[in-house]
Amino acid sequence: MTDTYDGPILDNHLHLDPEHGRGIDAVEDFARAGGTHMLVVNKPSWMIAEIPEDEAIFESVFETTIEAVQQASDVLDGRAWPILGVHPALISKLTGRGYTPEQAREIMQAGLDIAAEYVADGPALGLKSGRPHYEVGDPVWGASNAVMQHAFELGAETGCAVQLHTEGGEDFTQVGAWAEERGLPATQVVKHYSEGRLDGPTKSVLADKDELEIAAEIAEPFFLETDFIDDPDRPGAVLGPKTVPRRTEWLLENGHEDAVRTAHVETPASVYGIDTEATL
Ligand SMILES: [Zn+2]
């Protein structure tokens, strides 16, 4: 890291798979590069276990993530937190198995209900939901929006943020309004894999220099993320664990001290209620 910066560096969205992937090795890489905090999102259930035809599968996926987070916290100068939920593409896996979109919606909402218990009872910091990033038919699109709205209700009840996986784009004001209607401030909805510009939710910008430059100049709240997937079958499919610390250094070298503070201190505090400086 630069000699002058000794503040927190948070990766807002990555995955860890100690059993099949690099696991704690990846956390050590992140820490050596200057990273201090991370939000670890559970892998899609079908990548770790089977298609969840009963709720026990969600529980085992969440427990795996919580365990990985505890191990990561031991390595980090700061700490890690779990973000738990249901990947929106599960709906296609389920309908591919013969479930109707309505039945798939119920299974996915049940998974979110379990995730919300982990938030209410302690270890998890927030929820993960969304809708498919690819073309789907109207029934699946409708059921997916209903699942996402259910996540907003749970976020409002539990008082936690909801990370979203969605299609690309910049105008998500409708989605933000759905959250607000259910009592969850749009600012507590976080669009993962965002570009530099976004209307509605809070953006979590993939650590790409061009998009980061845009986000830094707009001076709205934002996060930085890699979406590191820790999948040995897809090395290099996404950014590696050192990327957020390196991009932070690059921001500092380019005079964006304010953006660094926004991404690693102020936005984490306002969206999740976490204090990345006190936990350093
Ligand atoms: Zn992800």
Side-chain angles (χ1 to χ4, degrees):
M1 276 312 295
T2 53
D3 302 332
T4 47
Y5 186 78
D6 59 358
I9 294 181
L10 169 84
D11 189 328
N12 183 56
H13 182 115
L14 55 76
H15 307 270
L16 293 175
D17 188 349
E19 205 184 322
H20 310 99
R22 295 186 56 211
I24 294 312
D25 216 35
V27 181
E28 282 168 351
D29 263 7
F30 172 74
R32 265 194 298 270
T36 58
H37 295 77
M38 51 172 61
L39 302 193
V40 183
V41 182
N42 61 271
K43 288 186 103 171
S45 45
W46 65 86
M47 286 174 77
I48 309 195
E50 317 153 44
I51 303 289
E53 302 188 46
D54 74 75
E55 296 175 2
I57 304 244
F58 287 117
E59 268 167 41
S60 83
V61 169
F62 297 156
E63 292 289 346
T64 301
T65 305
I66 290 165
E67 228 171 90
V69 162
Q70 283 162 350
Q71 293 171 21
S73 287
D74 289 341
V75 168
L76 295 168
D77 283 345
R79 58 163 295 185
W81 288 272
I83 300 283
L84 303 180
V86 179
H87 195 286
L90 179 60
I91 197 160
S92 303
K93 305 269 174 194
L94 289 168
T95 53
R97 281 231 179 165
Y99 289 93
T100 65
E102 275 307 290
Q103 288 168 328
R105 176 183 65 74
E106 275 168 31
I107 290 171
M108 292 168 77
Q109 291 186 351
L112 285 166
D113 290 343
I114 296 168
E117 285 169 28
Y118 282 99
V119 178
D121 298 342
L125 184 65
L127 297 171
K128 157 84 190 290
S129 183
R131 62 188 182 189
H133 60 271
Y134 46 89
E135 252 346 92
V136 292
D138 284 347
V140 167
W141 187 247
S144 297
N145 278 322
V147 171
M148 181 167 66
Q149 289 162 350
H150 183 68
F152 294 155
E153 271 163 34
L154 293 169
E157 275 168 26
T158 319
C160 75
V162 178
Q163 281 200 15
L164 296 183
H165 170 109
T166 68
E167 75 279 15
E170 294 180 355
D171 183 2
F172 282 76
T173 47
Q174 171 67 260
V175 169
W178 286 340
E180 299 261 347
E181 282 162 20
R182 286 160 183 81
L184 183 70
T187 50
Q188 274 187 283
V189 177
V190 179
K191 185 184 175 328
H192 134 71
Y193 218 93
S194 270
E195 294 166 18
R197 265 186 209 89
L198 184 71
D199 289 327
T202 300
K203 58 203 168 191
S204 182
V205 181
L206 196 73
D208 166 274
K209 284 184 180 172
D210 293 339
E211 299 303 330
L212 256 185
E213 187 88 64
I214 294 168
E217 259 147 38
I218 291 175
E220 286 168 358
F222 75 102
F223 294 102
L224 269 169
E225 66 165 68
T226 52
D227 195 22
F228 174 65
I229 52 172
D230 202 11
D231 184 342
D233 296 334
R234 296 173 63 199
V238 283
L239 301 173
K242 296 178 194 159
T243 314
V244 166
R246 285 182 174 164
R247 292 292 181 268
T248 300
E249 189 171 5
W250 175 80
L251 282 170
L252 291 166
E253 284 163 6
N254 286 279
H256 290 300
E257 286 83 5
D258 290 353
V260 167
R261 198 169 165 80
T262 298
H264 298 310
V265 179
E266 285 162 12
T267 313
S270 63
V271 171
Y272 301 113
I274 57 177
D275 187 336
T276 53
E277 291 178 308
T279 48
L280 194 59

